[in-house]
Amino acid sequence: MEKANQLIDQKIETTCFHCGECCVEQTLHHDGKVFCCNGCQLVYDVLEENDLCDYYEIAPNPGNNQKKSSERKNRFDYLADPEVTSKLLDFQDPEESHVTFYIPLIHCASCIWLLENLHQLDQAITSSRVNFLQKKVQIKFKNKSLDLKGLVTLLAKIGYEPAINLSDVDKRKILSTDRKLIYKLAVAGFCFGNMMFFSLPEYFSEAELLGEGFRKLFNYLNVLLALPVFFYSATDYYRSAWLAIKSKAVNMDVPIALGIITLFSYSMFEIFVSGQEGYLDSMGGLLFFLLLGKLYQKKTYETLSFSRDYTSYFPIAVTKMVRDREEVIPLTKLQVGEIIKVRNEELIPADSVLLEGQARIDYSFVTGEEVPVPKTKGELIFAGGRQKGQPITLVVQKPPSQGYLTDLWNNTAFVKADKETSLASLADQISGKFTFTVLFIAFAALVYWSFQDFSMGIKAFTAVLIITCPCALAMSTPFTLGNTLRIFGQSKFYLKNAHVVEKMAKVDTVVFDKTGTLTAPSQAHITFRGGSLSTETTSILKGMVQHSVHPLSYRINGWLGNIPVAFLEGVEEVPGKGIKAIYKSQLFLLGSASFTGAKIKGDAQIPGNQVFFSVEGILMGYFQIESGLRKGMDQVVCQLINGRQVHLLSGDNDLEREQFEDLLGPEVTLKFNQSPQDKLDYIQRLKAHGGNVLMVGDGLNDAGALKVSQVGIAVTENISHFSPSSDAILDAEKLYQLPQYLRFSQTSRKIIQASFALSFTYNAIGIFFAVQGLVSPVLCAILMPLSSISVVLFTTLGTNYFAYKKGLKEKIC
């Protein structure tokens, strides 16, 4: 026993030089170092041959485990297809090509160092740059010496295989709008800065810094600088305002456009007719701050994709069988009737019929159920399932775009127009009244002064429009919501757009999916009932479950920990039943009650899942595996119940009903055996009864419910890999902060309202002076930028302060 414990300790302490994982299954000694598998040793050899072992000095054990790396030499053959290559490349000419890959395994400084030194591994690579936050690398290489297939093979060889899926072949050009916005902001900033400089003599007019000739020259220079601002930088506001008027509506861009036109027109009149200075510097400042707020908001969430279709989940290639020869082809070229091979852990790309092999299909990606479904020869296997076990051969029945998986995306809930689910911002709701009020006051001032001094009437009319131009009012919403999006992002909660914050503030009903959302496989509670297990018995069990790909076997394997494995004979997994093995001429069975011959007393159902264990027909006991809640989820539900309805939907059976009733309380409505359509219909009924529904789910089977709810949050272990058609993506580790997110969204709405009050106060004071004709150009030039700056400071400090108070930030920054 003592010797066995020493062996266990020795195995736990032995870690791989490359990846840092424990060398449990095998220990390889090479070049005075220890490796856990041949893959890790191979990566080390490649780096050693190219004198790149500084990689290991930057961080200890920086590599990624290579045990699961595929040894198939033909798996990147599809990258030799010119059609696929042309769609993946960012740039290509006869000499050089540029490509950007998403590499999820990037995690430390050593990764950055190695990927930016790829040119030392292959001289055909001219440069490589890593974007650590997005886990992307842009590589430039020479076409004549290296092709795309060779580049990806090299990356896979050193442990950084890119994640390439079908949607990468259909890249969308999304950067042109952002570039245009940056150009407009740059023009406005350049012109605004220079106009402020040329207006300095007016700000200090009493000092008489310049003569009259230079004063007029500077005014004319301001006119030249104002032209690109008025005719280029402000075009988005003109277009938006015109579209709103055409649709007989008024949004916040209407008064902004009106103010810009008034500033420009009256300034032209002042400069060329009256010989005065005008307000062009104020117009430049207005456009610069408005565009800065819009860019800030866009940059907050531009890196994520929220409305993906099935192509984002499917691989880009599939193994096709041609006369007993494997041929890797792009999935887009897969035809009905063709024969394909699907290996362990690979996704079924299209509805197909099983021809050969033992199929055990994991449909958790589609249905939420974890237990693999056994399939026999001739049975139909739906797209979206994942094979668990040995390779299988299938014949394609439907194209990938017409399978069961895509039927979920074709549901009307997914193509619903954004107008039906979007909530107009608070600023747009009041912009109509604000605009009409300002126009009424301006015309009233014009009429009043016209009977006394018409020139004073024109001045008062224009001054009211200028000083009440709602720049501060317009900026309060994007800056507040932009800060909120940034704060949420720092907490690994990524919103699709700013409107989601306002929707969250109104949520009164919260619906959770169970499997993978409230529960996590790593938190499962496992108990062996039937007495204590000896060291020898646990070694036997370890050897059995290591040969299984069943989720329950994975959990038992993790529960057993790093222990020595017994040598077993005749290990065989019977699909849908269990595992059998021979040890010292004795038959060991692990699996269902019927498979092991176990008999349960009475008809009482035991909560959770049971895995029975018998030796030579004698029942030794069973593992009771109960779903484990994620960190703090019981407290989360308790907090959400205050003022809200909480519902739990699950595709699993209801054996754990009592367990979840005890954990979550009687106030939570529990629904089990729910299909994807059932979940979608349930959300529809809640909405029909007036509920503002927030749906929290993780699987593709939740996608319909996520889309049809007012707010859909996709919980995922990897925010860059899995994002169904949802309004937000939440890292699974941060799910316990959901109540804080909801409360902070309400606080953000109040901050916007408070900033409106600040803006209205400024406007009221400005109107008081403007209607009397007392506003000078200097006062307008100073007050307008100051009002914008004051709102930006107020919203920024307010959101950061309340984020700190609610525990979403460590400190105010």
Side-chain angles (χ1 to χ4, degrees), residues 432-489:
K433 297 179 180 179
F434 178 86
T435 304
F436 290 126
T437 302
V438 170
L439 290 174
F440 175 78
I441 295 174
F443 279 108
L446 174 63
V447 172
Y448 174 80
W449 284 108
S450 295
F451 291 103
Q452 304 178 41
D453 185 348
F454 184 75
S455 62
M456 179 62 76
I458 293 293
K459 183 178 181 180
F461 172 79
T462 310
V464 169
L465 290 178
I466 292 172
I467 207 163
T468 57
C469 187
C471 52
L473 184 65
M475 293 177 65
S476 60
T477 298
F479 268 86
T480 302
L481 298 182
N483 274 297
T484 301
L485 293 177
R486 178 178 56 83
I487 291 167
F488 281 163

Side-chain angles (χ1 to χ4, degrees), residues 607-640:
N609 297 288
Q610 294 79 44
V611 179
F612 295 87
F613 177 52
S614 68
V615 181
E616 287 294 319
I618 301 174
L619 182 65
M620 307 300 295
Y622 64 89
F623 291 92
Q624 182 175 339
I625 305 175
E626 300 180 37
S627 299
L629 289 178
R630 293 190 185 274
K631 173 186 175 183
M633 286 313 301
D634 48 349
Q635 288 86 2
V636 168
V637 173
C638 287
Q639 295 178 50
L640 291 174

Side-chain angles (χ1 to χ4, degrees), residues 416 421 500 502-513 640 643-649 679-697 702 704-713 726-728 738 742:
K416 189 175 183 179
T421 56
V500 181
E502 296 181 290
K503 294 180 184 179
M504 288 176 61
K506 294 188 174 184
V507 165
D508 57 20
T509 306
V510 180
V511 180
F512 287 101
D513 172 53
L640 291 174
R644 299 182 183 91
Q645 297 181 27
V646 180
H647 303 256
L648 174 66
L649 305 181
K679 294 181 180 182
L680 191 150
D681 294 339
Y682 192 84
I683 300 294
Q684 292 279 32
R685 288 195 296 271
L686 290 175
K687 290 178 62 179
H689 287 85
N692 288 303
V693 183
L694 181 149
M695 172 67 190
V696 187
D702 302 321
L706 289 169
K707 181 69 176 180
V708 78
S709 57
Q710 274 90 354
V711 180
I713 299 177
S726 59
D727 298 298
L738 181 60
L742 291 175

